[in-house]
Amino acid sequence: MSPEHDRASGEGRIEDGGAGGTGGTGGTGLRCLVTGATGYVGGRLVPELLAAGHRVRCLARSPEKLRDHPWAGEAEVVRGDVLDADSVSRAMEGVDVAYYLVHALGSGDDFEETDRRAARTFAERAKAAGVRRIVYLGGLTPSDVPERELSPHLRSRAEVGRILLASGVPTTVLRAAIVIGSGSASFEMLRYLTERLPVMVTPSWVHTRIQPIAVRDVLRALAGSALMPAEVSRAFDVGGPDVLTYREMMVRYAEVAQLPRRLILSVPMLSPGLSSHWVGLITPVPASIARPLTESLRHEVVCRENDILNYVPAPPGYPLGFDGALRLALQRVRDAQVTTRWSSASVPGAPSDPLPTDPDWAGGSLYTDHRTLTVDASPAALWRVIEGIGGDNGWYSFPLAWAVRGWLDRLVGGVGLRRGRRDAARLRAGDSLDFWRVEEIVPGRLLRLRAEMRLPGLAWLEMYADTDDAGRTRYRQRALFHPRGLAGHAYWWSVWAFHAAVFGGMARNIARAAARDTSAP
């Protein structure tokens, strides 16, 4: 569900004392429960809480996705779901502060009801467990617009805040507009629109005033909220020092990124629905996520108060201005040091079934395409090619065919190929990789990807680097497909010849790339 240069000036790092803790492992020693740790903000909040001296427990539906995070050995991870009351109760045991950083955005037409049930379950179980504080990150809403006229996304965020505030547990609700940081959906949308379109015909919402906030300021407010006095239970508006229109944000992005001046023309006929498809066409952010973002931009979202400073004082350098947030985010992208991305969380509705490991799987038909090649390279060289697959490096066969498959997936509401990679050279369990998700990685040996494209079934792609009985490097590749109904069987056989060419070419080209890597000086 949803560090830059150094510790003092990092994009996603808080200065000593900024989180309200003392640093190290002693500190205040609060037990903090973080939901949404596989997401963009939650994945960055956990190390901040640890650095402030708190103990952290993460509630995750798929704990294995957190296994390879740098902080994984310092935090406790438990399996559960905010819709499962029993798992929430177990996770709440002994907890002082519970962070609610999940939402059902894009999970279907009934996402508001899903959000409502999850928030009620979380609130009830926090009260029963004696939790001392709930902290929630919601959306900034306009002051002069009735809630019924808000976008479903903002309306649901506001309702979740009210449910948590009514829980009987002291609650901090932080309301933010768009968050600017490397890998955030709002930043990626702004970046790709500005970089790819020197001349833009834009919707009328580009003239809406917005108060963006840097991700490091969001993290400071979230972490500092753990130590609020018990008598404080309310919502706070949080934002950066600049109030800008979206058009001004694009102009300033072009200046910071040293791009030629952009020509921006707005037209009134682009509805939020059309806008989301326009954004999905130009940027990596799919229409299902772009729609709530663009709908939220119809109304002015500017902070009405700044009371959070009374409880979480701003150290020197905080809050960060818009241009500064852009510079830090861009530097992070250029240095390939993006710690979390908007795509870190699983795509709603994407398959999450684990790969069936029994060769004689009793769960139904399982089609496979298996390739094995001897490689004139070291296993380490072969592994570098395997781990670097996707994103800008491509898929080593028929680039046009992969591009067409990506476009077709986006046309039917899928994620397509544009999510790319979090890191150009390294992968970790849970990473999104174009229209795949890293289900398992054994460094130097195995990469298993699970498809998140729209398919009539479940699909995986495995790549192995090992040696044969003679000690020669061997590349093994296996594509698997579990069809769903007759449509799934028809799909596999309709693309069988195509897959044979694509997967065969991929295996040969990966082997050649590893050999070139070995022979290069």
Side-chain angles (χ1 to χ4, degrees), residues 204-271:
S204 57
W205 49 252
V206 298
H207 298 296
T208 302
R209 295 170 74 240
I210 308 159
Q211 191 165 353
I213 183 170
V215 66
R216 73 172 191 170
D217 289 313
V218 172
L219 295 174
R220 174 178 58 84
L222 284 168
S225 294
L227 296 177
M228 280 190 178
E231 64 271 16
V232 177
S233 186
R234 53 163 290 190
F236 296 88
D237 292 351
V238 292
D242 300 310
V243 177
L244 306 161
T245 66
Y246 205 88
R247 184 185 189 282
E248 290 170 333
M249 290 167 60
M250 289 191 287
V251 169
R252 287 171 71 162
Y253 179 94
E255 293 173 354
V256 170
Q258 298 182 335
L259 301 171
R261 185 174 180 84
R262 269 37 190 162
L263 178 61
I264 302 171
L265 307 171
S266 64
V267 293
M269 69 280 299
L270 281 177
S271 66

Side-chain angles (χ1 to χ4, degrees), residues 18-305:
T22 58
T25 56
T28 57
L30 294 177
R31 169 77 74 180
C32 298
L33 174 67
V34 177
T35 61
T38 59
Y40 177 72
V41 172
R44 297 189 181 208
L45 176 62
V46 171
E48 299 302 337
L49 294 173
L50 291 169
H54 304 308
R55 293 165 293 162
V56 177
R57 176 183 295 156
C58 301
L59 177 69
R61 286 177 296 177
S62 303
E64 57 275 6
K65 290 183 180 179
L66 300 175
R67 184 193 65 200
D68 297 331
H69 284 252
W71 45 261
E74 303 176 64
E76 178 188 1
V77 180
V78 298
R79 186 181 300 275
D81 191 303
V82 289
L83 290 169
D84 178 2
D86 290 340
S87 68
V88 174
S89 290
R90 290 191 295 270
M92 291 280 190
E93 292 177 4
V95 165
D96 300 301
V97 181
Y99 285 88
Y100 191 78
L101 303 175
V102 297
H103 59 86
L105 174 63
S107 61
D109 294 338
D110 60 345
F111 81 91
E112 289 183 85
E113 174 58 26
T114 301
D115 271 339
R116 189 177 300 121
R117 288 193 296 114
R120 286 173 177 163
T121 298
F122 195 82
E124 292 167 1
R125 298 298 164 155
K127 177 68 173 177
V131 171
R132 291 160 52 181
R133 177 163 297 277
I134 295 172
V135 182
Y136 168 61
L137 178 62
L140 189 60
T141 56
S143 58
D144 57 347
V145 178
E147 191 169 299
R148 64 180 180 277
E149 296 180 16
L150 296 177
S151 69
H153 165 59
L154 279 182
R155 190 168 60 234
S156 181
R157 291 294 188 94
E159 182 183 19
V160 167
R162 288 197 305 273
I163 291 171
L164 298 177
L165 283 167
S167 65
V169 178
T171 298
T172 301
V173 173
L174 302 178
R175 300 185 297 208
I178 66 174
V179 176
I180 301 297
S182 62
S184 76
S186 295
F187 172 74
E188 292 290 282
M189 192 170 101
L190 175 67
R191 178 163 77 104
Y192 278 87
L193 286 176
T194 309
E195 290 186 353
R196 291 185 171 179
L197 298 176
V199 178
M200 284 176 270
V201 177
T202 59
S204 57
W205 49 252
V206 298
H207 298 296
T208 302
R209 295 170 74 240
I210 308 159
Q211 191 165 353
I213 183 170
V215 66
R216 73 172 191 170
D217 289 313
V218 172
L219 295 174
R220 174 178 58 84
L222 284 168
S225 294
L227 296 177
M228 280 190 178
E231 64 271 16
V232 177
S233 186
R234 53 163 290 190
F236 296 88
D237 292 351
V238 292
D242 300 310
V243 177
L244 306 161
T245 66
Y246 205 88
R247 184 185 189 282
E248 290 170 333
M249 290 167 60
M250 289 191 287
V251 169
R252 287 171 71 162
Y253 179 94
E255 293 173 354
V256 170
Q258 298 182 335
L259 301 171
R261 185 174 180 84
R262 269 37 190 162
L263 178 61
I264 302 171
L265 307 171
S266 64
V267 293
M269 69 280 299
L270 281 177
S271 66
L274 291 175
S275 296
S276 65
H277 289 292
W278 173 67
V279 171
L281 186 68
I282 303 300
T283 80
V285 181
S288 60
I289 294 176
R291 176 153 192 159
L293 292 177
T294 55
E295 285 181 334
S296 301
L297 296 173
R298 289 184 301 160
H299 305 294
E300 181 177 283
V301 278
V302 176
C303 295
R304 297 179 289 275
E305 41 82 13

